[in-house]
Amino acid sequence: MLEELRIRDLGVITDATLPLGPGLSVVTGETGAGKTMVVTAVGLLLGARSDAGAVRSGAKSASAEAVLKLDAGHAAVSRAREAGAEVEEFDGGAELLLARSVGADGRSRAYLGGRTAPVGVLAEIGGTLVVVHGQSDQIRLKSPVAQREALDKFAGESLAGSLAAYQELYGHWKASQAELDELRSAARERLREAESLEAALAEIDAVDPQPGEDESLKAEAVKLANVEELRIAASTAHQALIAEDFGEEADATTLVDAAKRTLEHVAEHDGELGSAAARLAEVGFLLNDIAAELASYQASLDTEGPERLAEIEDRRAALAKLVRKYAPSIDEVLAWAEQARARYEELQDDSTRIEALDADVVRAEADLRKQATAISKARKKAAKELSARVSAELTALAMADATLVINVDPGEQLGPFGSDEISFLLQPHSGAPARPLGKGASGGELSRVMLAIEVVLAAVDPVPTFVFDEVDAGVGGRAAVEIGRRLAMLARHVQVLVVTHLPQVAAFADQHIRVTKTSVRGADGATATGFTSSDVQLLDEAERVRELARMLAGQEDSESARAHAQELLDDARLLPQQA
């Protein structure tokens, strides 16, 4: 909801704040007082092109600010945060500030949540929150996309379920079609890839590397390269442990055994020496085991000669070639080969996959066309009802012969929302050609057309705030009352701000805002040397009666005019708020 609108140095308005609330707010005032500056200010906040001519004479710049209250989960809140805006939250709600300034030199700056922002972002966020209907403003439903969305929402759940099922199948169809196109367009590349993988796998399979083989062969090569040194070391160690002839000194096992037997002789006199003897026995067993291992190690060295070393080096060269070509280690080569084999099998299966995808695409397209036909049927039914209801509203809005024509034409191309081409057209009277919205209608007529559409769509496709200008142009009497009543009907669902010159419309307002003009004359009494400014005031009940009396007869002090104004207010409150 638009909570407050502040305007500074825009047109004839020097500095004005419009306090707005829910429901219907009207802005009235004498011609030239600056009522349309309200619409201009809102337009600036929605990203409209800036105009230096709108800056008040003598001012350096003009500005417009709006305070909006939103649900904390509204998409505009998250988008504002993405743009770097500061958003204040309170009790499940959020407050967002939009601002725009226009310099006398024509330069414009936009602000979002107190931070500078591109005008496009301001327009993107503001466009989801406020819609302006006026002579020079964009129409919310002018694009085919917006018209299709409005019609689908009006159709309700019956179409929503069918459309959801269609979109799920459409996504599958597009994915299958994309994969099929890729397979067909990349056939040569995929063939070359398959041949390359086949050659690589053949090379790896020929070598048949084993996990960790490169490291184990490296260790064995180092061992064989130093075999003589290893043999001498093993032999010397073996002789030191157990040998029949080890020079003048005895071997280790003999010495340990002698120490053990010596202690065993006296173990019965002291348990501590008995424990030491037992431990020496264990050492003797351990030395014998090590000696046996050294003997076996020596024997193995005798069997591994230069021939084995040559075999190892040849094998390591073959493995090194694979490592250079495919991966940093043999384990990674094996992992790459596993992935390559799976990819190769996938490429080999292309022909089968193409056939399956081709059949799937044909089948899905046939099902989609059936569903698209059903969607078209539902849309045509909804279009007929929407057209009838809007046309009935137009009759009440002094456009008795006008008809909203909604065309739903099935196209050849399937899209994410079906194949329909949807267009909203206005037929001004019987026999006249129907033309797109926004063409062939005056500003006032167009505003009334959009009011009729918005009233019908309000319950299913609401925008938080609507602004109408010239919606009552060229009408009066009973038609003016009907315009006011329908604006009040729309305001039951959304916030509505209307610039009007008709008392019959203003009488329906929940809030009445008056713009007054003040002319300051020069010392000689000539206005040419002075200036004109406007002020904005929220009216209470008595002031409303005076303003309506002015609008009715130009005599706000006339008792009869006031009585008529009071009667208008009373009638507006009693009229049923139903179409």
Side-chain angles (χ1 to χ4, degrees):
M1 182 184 77
L2 187 58
E3 187 178 51
E4 184 179 274
L5 179 65
R6 183 174 181 180
I7 305 169
R8 182 178 61 81
D9 291 331
L10 186 64
V12 295
I13 298 179
T14 306
D15 193 350
T17 301
L18 281 71
L20 302 173
L24 174 61
S25 299
V26 298
V27 180
T28 63
E30 294 180 357
T31 301
K35 299 187 299 296
T36 57
M37 288 299 102
V38 174
V39 180
T40 302
V42 174
L44 285 173
L45 294 172
L46 298 183
R49 180 177 295 179
S50 59
D51 180 10
V55 179
R56 178 176 169 76
S57 178
K60 293 182 178 179
S61 64
S63 66
E65 297 179 3
V67 178
L68 296 112
K69 280 192 174 180
L70 308 167
D71 291 334
H74 196 285
V77 174
S78 58
R79 181 66 184 91
R81 285 200 172 99
E82 288 176 9
E86 293 183 359
V87 182
E88 294 187 12
E89 292 192 12
F90 52 90
D91 298 331
E95 186 175 276
L96 180 62
L97 176 66
L98 304 183
R100 181 92 179 271
S101 66
V102 181
D105 58 359
R107 294 182 179 180
S108 169
R109 297 190 72 179
Y111 303 87
L112 181 64
R115 304 284 183 86
T116 57
V119 174
V121 174
L122 198 71
E124 178 187 347
I125 292 177
T128 66
L129 303 174
V130 183
V131 172
V132 178
H133 292 306
Q135 185 172 9
S136 60
D137 297 294
Q138 298 296 322
I139 304 171
R140 178 166 81 107
L141 300 178
K142 75 169 186 177
S143 72
V145 171
Q147 292 173 2
R148 191 263 309 154
E149 289 176 348
L151 179 59
D152 287 355
K153 288 181 180 178
F154 179 79
E157 292 299 323
S158 59
L159 177 62
S162 300
L163 194 56
Y166 171 90
Q167 289 175 330
E168 183 177 356
L169 180 58
Y170 179 82
H172 170 76
W173 176 63
K174 292 297 288 183
S176 297
Q177 196 173 54
E179 185 179 355
L180 180 60
D181 291 343
E182 180 186 359
L183 287 174
R184 284 175 171 166
S185 63
R188 290 184 178 179
E189 289 76 5
R190 293 170 73 87
L191 179 60
R192 283 196 293 269
E193 183 183 358
E195 291 174 348
S196 175
L197 290 175
E198 184 179 23
L201 290 171
E203 182 179 13
I204 294 172
D205 290 343
V207 176
D208 190 23
Q210 301 301 311
E213 185 180 4
D214 50 347
E215 292 299 323
S216 62
L217 287 177
K218 178 181 178 181
E220 189 175 358
V222 170
K223 175 182 173 181
L224 291 178
N226 297 277
V227 65
E228 189 60 32
E229 185 178 353
L230 294 173
R231 180 183 293 111
I232 294 171
S235 176
T236 303
H238 181 266
Q239 291 295 323
L241 291 175
I242 180 170
E244 293 180 358
D245 183 13
F246 192 67
E248 297 180 356
E249 299 180 2
D251 58 55
T253 55
T254 301
L255 293 173
V256 169
D257 184 60
K260 181 198 71 166
R261 282 187 278 109
T262 300
L263 293 178
E264 285 177 341
H265 285 308
V266 295
E268 61 183 35
H269 303 305
D270 189 339
E272 185 174 350
L273 292 181
S275 174
R279 289 162 63 193
L280 284 171
E282 294 176 3
V283 171
F285 296 142
L286 181 59
L287 290 174
N288 282 316
D289 289 342
I290 294 174
E293 290 175 7
L294 289 173
S296 175
Y297 181 80
Q298 279 184 272
S300 68
L301 291 178
D302 291 338
T303 60
E304 296 176 352
E307 297 80 4
R308 175 57 183 163
L309 180 58
E311 291 176 5
I312 290 174
E313 292 302 337
D314 289 344
R315 180 67 177 173
R316 290 185 68 196
L319 295 178
K321 184 178 180 182
L322 297 181
V323 167
R324 284 195 304 271
K325 294 181 69 174
Y326 302 110
S329 69
I330 285 299
D331 287 350
E332 290 173 285
V333 168
L334 290 170
W336 181 89
E338 184 178 356
Q339 295 175 357
R341 209 176 304 279
R343 175 62 174 164
Y344 178 71
E345 291 173 358
E346 178 186 332
L347 293 171
Q348 290 296 101
D349 195 38
D350 274 2
S351 59
T352 304
R353 181 61 178 159
I354 287 174
E355 291 177 5
L357 283 172
D358 199 15
D360 185 38
V361 167
V362 171
R363 182 172 58 254
E365 183 175 350
D367 291 341
L368 279 173
R369 294 202 177 276
K370 289 180 183 178
Q371 293 187 25
T373 300
I375 289 171
S376 284
K377 186 176 179 180
R379 279 180 174 151
K380 287 177 180 178
K381 180 181 177 181
K384 185 177 180 180
E385 182 181 353
L386 179 58
S387 174
R389 290 178 60 177
V390 172
S391 299
E393 291 292 330
L394 291 175
T395 299
L397 295 174
M399 298 179 69
D401 297 326
T403 302
L404 178 68
V405 178
I406 302 177
N407 290 335
V408 181
D409 301 317
E412 290 297 322
Q413 299 295 325
L414 292 171
F417 300 96
S419 61
D420 297 324
E421 296 176 358
I422 298 168
S423 56
F424 284 22
L425 310 171
L426 178 65
Q427 186 179 28
H429 54 81
S430 180
R435 302 190 65 186
L437 293 181
K439 294 184 178 180
S442 67
E445 288 175 332
L446 183 57
S447 290
R448 274 177 277 159
V449 171
M450 296 313 301
L451 172 59
I453 295 175
E454 301 295 9
V455 166
V456 175
L457 292 177
V460 295
D461 186 26
V463 170
T465 300
F466 286 92
V467 179
F468 287 93
D469 186 23
E470 297 190 2
V471 69
D472 51 13
V475 299
R478 185 64 187 171
V481 174
E482 288 301 321
I483 289 176
R485 186 154 69 100
R486 276 154 177 78
L487 286 166
M489 288 168 55
L490 179 61
R492 295 190 326 193
H493 300 284
V494 296
Q495 182 187 39
V496 181
L497 177 62
V498 180
V499 177
T500 182
H501 66 278
L502 291 181
Q504 296 96 324
V505 173
F508 282 88
D510 298 302
Q511 294 186 108
H512 192 144
I513 299 166
R514 180 179 63 197
V515 181
T516 56
K517 178 175 64 174
T518 302
S519 295
V520 180
R521 301 178 181 274
D524 59 355
T527 58
T529 60
F531 63 92
T532 299
S533 65
S534 293
D535 190 21
V536 175
Q537 181 183 6
L538 179 63
L539 304 182
D540 59 22
E541 184 69 13
E543 291 167 335
R544 285 191 71 186
V545 172
R546 286 178 57 83
E547 176 65 4
L548 290 177
R550 182 198 64 78
M551 297 171 73
L552 280 165
Q555 300 175 346
E556 59 266 36
D557 294 325
S558 166
E559 290 295 332
S560 60
R562 289 187 187 183
H564 190 185
Q566 187 64 57
E567 184 180 2
L568 269 182
L569 284 171
D570 295 340
D571 288 346
R573 289 164 181 154
L574 291 174
L575 280 173
Q577 303 271 311
Q578 298 178 1

